[in-house]
Amino acid sequence: DAVMISHADSDHFSALPELLQRFSVGVIYVSPVMFDDVATQPALIELKAAIDKSGVPLKLFSAGDKLRSAPGTRLEALHPPPKGVLGSDNANSIVLLVEYAGRRILLPGDLESPGLEDLMAEEPLDCDVVMAPHHGSRRSDPAGFSFWSKPEFVLFSGDRHVEDIPDIEMVKDSYRARGAEVYHTAEDGAVCF
């Protein structure tokens, strides 16, 4: 039905051109600033060309936007604001809140400052599952973000060489200190909730 690209980093969109050749896609959602730097990034030029060639509609998705879904399901963008925030594409990552059957899943892309502070200025959430922002980077303020989102489970998506990521254990401990169970795809493989 839809594909959502969190932001303009190639590790978050590079498979889309091939997916568009293999599958029928109804719509592609992007942040309001997704293609602002298209002229300077060859990967974005290729992505935009593949989307244009596919004929799949491209729609902007920003804070406050909601997607219609099955009854009892809520899909809402919490970030970025409609005009984006000053800063990198990471700071403008789409933050998607998924609510289903009384449960909350938060998908923040690679969110980092100043977008992170923009999000955490809102009323805190009580989430069941949170994807660690920016693959668990310490720049994602793990202590502050865990306090704000109150997750029961935190999932880190990342490289097989997790031991090479600076401060990854400190970041994991920040979430554990708030009572969250922590999983990392490099160590635990696919994780189902």
Side-chain angles (χ1 to χ4, degrees):
D1 296 312
V3 169
M4 186 172 297
I5 303 173
S6 61
H7 63 294
D9 280 354
S10 64
D11 64 320
H12 289 257
F13 67 75
S14 62
L16 187 60
E18 187 167 336
L19 290 173
L20 291 171
Q21 292 176 14
R22 293 177 176 231
F23 299 98
S24 172
V25 175
V27 63
I28 298 169
Y29 292 99
V30 297
S31 83
V33 298
M34 174 76 186
F35 291 107
D36 281 3
D37 295 326
V38 71
T40 62
Q41 294 188 35
L44 280 178
I45 293 169
E46 183 181 326
L47 175 66
K48 186 72 167 73
I51 292 170
D52 291 345
K53 181 179 176 185
S54 74
V56 175
L58 190 63
K59 293 188 178 179
L60 301 181
F61 195 61
S62 60
D65 289 344
K66 297 175 183 159
L67 299 177
R68 282 196 279 165
S69 188
T73 303
R74 177 177 160 216
L75 302 167
E76 180 179 356
L78 302 181
H79 183 79
K83 293 186 179 182
V85 295
L86 291 175
S88 69
D89 56 328
N90 287 347
N92 284 286
S93 287
I94 291 175
V95 177
L96 182 66
L97 175 64
V98 179
E99 289 186 331
Y100 175 73
R103 303 286 189 195
R104 283 185 178 155
I105 300 171
L106 190 63
L107 305 171
D110 279 356
L111 189 64
E112 59 184 38
S113 292
L116 187 63
E117 288 79 13
D118 185 59
L119 177 68
M120 292 190 312
E122 299 297 324
E123 184 155 336
L125 290 177
D126 188 352
C127 296
D128 296 284
V129 179
V130 168
M131 178 76 75
H134 203 181
H135 310 278
S137 165
R138 66 180 176 199
R139 292 180 304 201
S140 64
D141 186 9
F145 191 73
S146 64
F147 182 80
W148 181 82
S149 61
K150 303 174 184 70
E152 292 180 37
F153 301 95
V154 177
L155 179 63
F156 291 76
S157 169
D159 197 291
R160 295 182 198 278
H161 304 288
V162 68
E163 67 276 359
D164 296 338
I165 301 170
D167 302 320
I168 191 68
E169 289 307 317
M170 180 273 302
V171 173
K172 288 179 179 179
D173 287 343
S174 294
Y175 288 103
R176 288 183 184 122
R178 298 285 308 158
E181 287 185 43
V182 173
Y183 297 92
H184 198 295
T185 58
E187 299 165 336
D188 301 303
V191 180
C192 297
F193 293 97

